[in-house]
Amino acid sequence: ATMDGIFTYVFLCAAALLAVQFIDLTDGQKLAILLGFICAPASLAIRFNSAVAVAVRFYKTSYVPDFILRPGAFLVGIFALSILGMMHTALAALIVFVTVTYLAMFGQSWALHQHRVSFKHLGWPRKFFARPLRSRALALTIVSATMLAFADVVILVASFVLPEREVAIAGVAM
């Protein structure tokens, strides 16, 4: 992490704490903001690890944890809480989301470490990206559509077990 990134994160956390204190928010909204800031470093690390993995052409290490395992584990966690009778609030869904995001981040970081990936492997980009990107366009479109579909499925499943207001909060959090 660079000093600029750390400063930006600390500044945003301070702004969120001030906003929570001076803006009329419910306790649930305050908790959702807090969990969002707790989840932010893991989400950032996943994006960074994905970019590094794609740069060294470890596509599975990039896409599988973020677009398949994390949404799948989130759905499994929501279903498990529902079966156990513990899924009654958006807080439970948010806690599952934060937990699954950190697990995906640690798994992806571990996989990159196993491949011995470091910054010296990255090198400089090629001049012409049109041809390789055209050949991967369908796969990238499928990944994006799958990610959007998982988000919609999670919102649909949550609508069966949560009140309307909490489904809206979960949808915004996703």
Side-chain angles (χ1 to χ4, degrees), residues 4-168:
D4 289 340
I6 293 170
F7 175 76
T8 302
Y9 184 70
V10 169
F11 176 77
L12 288 174
C13 286
L17 288 174
L18 286 174
V20 165
Q21 292 302 318
F22 295 111
I23 297 175
D24 186 31
L25 298 172
T26 66
D27 289 340
Q29 291 169 330
K30 290 178 182 179
L31 195 56
I33 290 171
L34 174 68
L35 288 172
F37 275 96
I38 290 171
C39 189
S43 293
L44 175 67
I46 287 173
R47 300 297 174 261
F48 182 77
N49 287 341
S50 292
V52 169
V54 166
V56 293
R57 296 191 172 130
F58 292 139
Y59 300 112
K60 290 179 187 174
T61 305
S62 173
Y63 297 124
V64 171
D66 192 20
F67 297 119
I68 296 173
L69 296 180
R70 187 169 59 109
F74 182 68
L75 282 173
V76 168
I78 295 296
F79 282 132
L81 288 178
S82 295
I83 290 170
L84 296 173
M86 300 166 67
M87 187 64 196
H88 297 293
T89 64
L91 174 62
L94 290 174
I95 290 172
V96 169
F97 183 78
V98 170
T99 303
V100 166
T101 301
Y102 270 93
L103 289 174
M105 184 262 309
F106 286 129
Q108 190 178 43
S109 298
W110 178 80
L112 284 174
H113 179 72
Q114 293 300 315
H115 289 297
R116 307 254 192 266
V117 174
S118 68
F119 291 108
K120 65 184 176 185
H121 291 100
L122 298 180
W124 291 98
R126 288 191 234 151
K127 283 185 176 181
F128 302 102
F129 285 111
R131 183 171 289 150
L133 287 179
R134 269 191 229 114
S135 67
R136 296 185 185 114
L138 179 61
L140 293 172
T141 303
I142 291 171
V143 167
S144 296
T146 304
M147 183 181 75
L148 290 172
F150 268 115
D152 290 340
V153 168
V154 169
I155 291 170
L156 286 173
V157 170
S159 68
F160 289 115
V161 294
L162 296 174
E164 289 178 10
R165 184 174 180 192
E166 293 182 4
V167 171

